[in-house]
């Protein structure tokens, strides 16, 4: 068994927070803020890794686009019908596929499959892999288009 690295742990924490936020009906970014404040007085809460915060902010900021991409790649399923943990894993991975240009798309899909193995049902890893593999095919074009867009800092 391979030992999970720091990014894997950061992704797992992000999935946990996305799942918790959806279950509670709150913003995942608010949970990150809350945990960062709480860890000051309660170390058992654990530090929020910068990568965890980065992907949570990304998923939250692009949730409509992420959900639209996911929905368009689900065959015979709808996003609300998926197990909540699978939604969280695939939202995270979809955002990473399009935005985490420092990570190879193959690694992102593999990480999502690993998270599905750890956190979800026996059928989830294959399902997650199938959906994300189709989305990963779009990643190079989306990344290239994003890189070509002029960035304005206001």
């Amino acid at each position: 068994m391979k030992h999970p690295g720091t990014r894997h742990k950061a992704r797992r924490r992000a999935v946990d927070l996305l799942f918790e936020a959806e279950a509670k009906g709150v913003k995942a970014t608010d949970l990150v803020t809350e945990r960062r404040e709480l860890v000051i007085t309660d170390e058992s809460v654990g530090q929020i890794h910068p990568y965890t915060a980065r992907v949570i902010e990304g998923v939250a900021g692009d949730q409509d686009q992420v959900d639209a991409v996911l929905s368009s790649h689900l065959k015979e399923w709808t996003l609300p019908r998926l197990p909540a943990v699978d939604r969280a894993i695939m939202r995270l991975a979809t955002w990473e596929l399009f935005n985490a240009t420092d990570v190879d798309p193959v690694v992102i899909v593999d990480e999502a499959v690993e998270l599905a193995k750890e956190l979800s049902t026996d059928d989830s890893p294959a399902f997650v892999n199938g959906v994300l593999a189709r989305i990963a095919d779009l990643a190079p074009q989306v990344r290239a288009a994003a890189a070509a867009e002029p960035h304005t800092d206001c």
Side-chain angles (χ1 to χ4, degrees):
M1 176 172 148
K2 69 178 188 178
H3 296 286
T6 303
R7 279 263 174 113
H8 179 80
K9 291 175 186 168
R11 284 184 184 95
R12 182 173 176 144
R13 184 86 185 267
V15 167
D16 290 346
L17 289 166
L18 290 168
F19 177 87
E20 180 183 345
E22 183 177 348
K24 291 180 172 179
V26 298
K27 293 179 182 175
T29 51
D30 290 347
L31 287 180
V32 170
T33 302
E34 175 187 298
R35 300 296 151 78
R36 283 187 162 155
E37 291 168 2
L38 204 53
V39 77
I40 296 167
T41 57
D42 182 359
E43 290 181 11
S44 70
V45 171
Q47 293 284 340
I48 298 286
H49 188 279
Y51 194 74
T52 299
R54 176 181 166 205
V55 295
I56 291 278
E57 289 163 11
V59 171
D62 294 342
Q63 181 132 10
D64 291 344
Q65 178 189 2
V66 166
D67 284 358
V69 169
L70 270 172
S71 293
S72 71
H73 287 82
L74 295 174
K75 293 185 178 175
E76 300 175 26
W77 281 88
T78 60
L79 206 51
R81 279 188 57 214
L82 295 178
V85 70
D86 291 357
R87 266 195 308 275
I89 291 167
M90 290 196 290
R91 282 174 172 151
L92 170 67
T94 299
W95 183 86
E96 279 191 294
L97 283 168
F98 293 162
N99 297 282
T101 54
D102 58 329
V103 185
D104 188 302
V106 173
V107 171
I108 294 168
V109 174
D110 286 349
E111 281 287 315
V113 170
E114 281 301 310
L115 288 166
K117 286 178 186 174
E118 291 172 26
L119 303 170
S120 197
T121 67
D122 290 345
D123 294 333
S124 291
F127 181 76
V128 165
N129 186 58
V131 173
L132 292 177
R134 291 191 297 277
I135 293 172
D137 289 341
L138 302 173
Q141 297 93 313
V142 173
R143 288 177 175 193
E149 286 178 9
H151 293 285
T152 56
D153 293 325
C154 297

